[in-house]
Amino acid sequence: MCLFRTEPSFHLKSTNTGNRCSRPALRRDGCRAANGCLRCLPGTQGAVCRVLTKAEGPSGADTPLELVFHLPAGYPACLPGVSVGSERLTRAQCAAVRDKLLEQAQGFLPEPMVHQLVVWVQQNLRHLLAAPGSGAGPGTCPVASATEAEGPWMTLLHLDHMRAKTRYVRTVRQWASALGLTGRLMFMGRVILLLLQGHRDRVKEYLVLQKTSKVDVDSSGKKCRERMASVLWEARAQPGHARFLAFEVKEFSSLDELRKEFETAGLEALFPECVLGLVK
């Protein structure tokens, strides 16, 4: 699956100037990511377009937005899935914006629509949030819910095997980077563990990619999906848990080294519960 921050039917080339992302160069069709910051992640099925942009909120101040468009293989003949996130909006407000975007998307079928939807939300966010039922009245500047502010979400996965290890690891790195996730991909003998940390919705998006994308090869060398990955544990990060600053791939030569990695992360209780049974 391919993760873009614009329409997947053309190629983008962008340059970074300071802390702002310049407008990408157009290569094929006439779409742009309207004043949004774009990243792209190569894949094999469909696409996920991720746009970071800003729009005027009810108080007149810029509101940062993260718009994620899940484009199925039949896009643009069928509607994309839409996710909306913002550090300044509540979950109810994000859901209201998402619902309105889906309503607007109906009118663009069967043409590519990501650029048009980004422009639309930039022009209409202020009115959407001021409308009854949006979760905020005129002039308010809502903040994230208390639950979201408590800490990032953490998920520990067990990956059964990697036949095409180099390709698989590269794909996992790219997914984590594109979704803003940190954590560890850990190898110890035949045991493969993936610890993800970040916004809960982004972790969920990663799990969808993990289950639906062809990330490995089968015994005949044909690309295949990961069907044997399992979630061993997930919870919101607690005060004693490490806050990872990056996503790293680590190889361990012994069980003791792996145990120490869990201890360093403040997850020593998980080791006997979730890990030891995998090495016996």
Side-chain angles (χ1 to χ4, degrees), residues 13-33:
K13 180 173 62 178
S14 62
T15 56
N16 195 328
T17 55
N19 292 325
R20 299 180 62 186
C21 291
S22 62
R23 177 167 290 185
L26 294 179
R27 294 291 297 275
R28 286 175 57 188
D29 65 20
C31 297
R32 305 177 199 267

Side-chain angles (χ1 to χ4, degrees), residues 138-202:
T140 62
C141 185
V143 297
S145 66
T147 302
E148 292 174 342
E150 289 174 359
W153 192 256
M154 299 182 72
T155 297
L156 179 64
L157 297 170
H158 173 235
L159 307 181
D160 186 73
H161 63 275
M162 290 185 183
R163 287 193 174 95
K165 183 176 178 180
T166 300
R167 177 177 178 272
Y168 202 136
V169 170
R170 181 175 63 248
T171 300
V172 171
R173 279 184 179 275
Q174 291 172 330
W175 284 346
S177 175
L179 292 170
L181 300 175
T182 59
R184 301 288 186 267
L185 176 57
M186 300 171 281
F187 296 88
M188 201 288 295
R190 294 187 177 183
V191 176
I192 308 171
L193 298 170
L194 176 58
L195 180 61
L196 296 172
Q197 186 179 86
H199 193 286
R200 187 173 186 178
D201 289 344
R202 302 292 86 81

Side-chain angles (χ1 to χ4, degrees), residues 12-74:
L12 293 169
K13 180 173 62 178
S14 62
T15 56
N16 195 328
T17 55
N19 292 325
R20 299 180 62 186
C21 291
S22 62
R23 177 167 290 185
L26 294 179
R27 294 291 297 275
R28 286 175 57 188
D29 65 20
C31 297
R32 305 177 199 267
N35 298 321
C37 179
L38 298 102
R39 295 175 71 177
C40 58
L41 175 69
T44 57
Q45 288 188 341
V48 177
C49 303
R50 184 171 177 235
V51 180
L52 299 182
T53 188
K54 293 181 179 179
E56 184 180 353
S59 64
D62 282 346
T63 299
L65 292 172
E66 179 180 14
L67 308 174
V68 181
F69 299 90
H70 301 257
L71 310 185

Side-chain angles (χ1 to χ4, degrees), residues 96-118:
V97 174
R98 179 199 63 212
D99 292 344
K100 288 297 182 180
L101 280 170
L102 289 172
E103 288 181 15
Q104 290 297 314
Q106 293 278 358
F108 293 117
L109 289 172
E111 299 296 327
M113 63 189 74
V114 170
H115 169 68
Q116 289 90 334
L117 292 175
V118 173

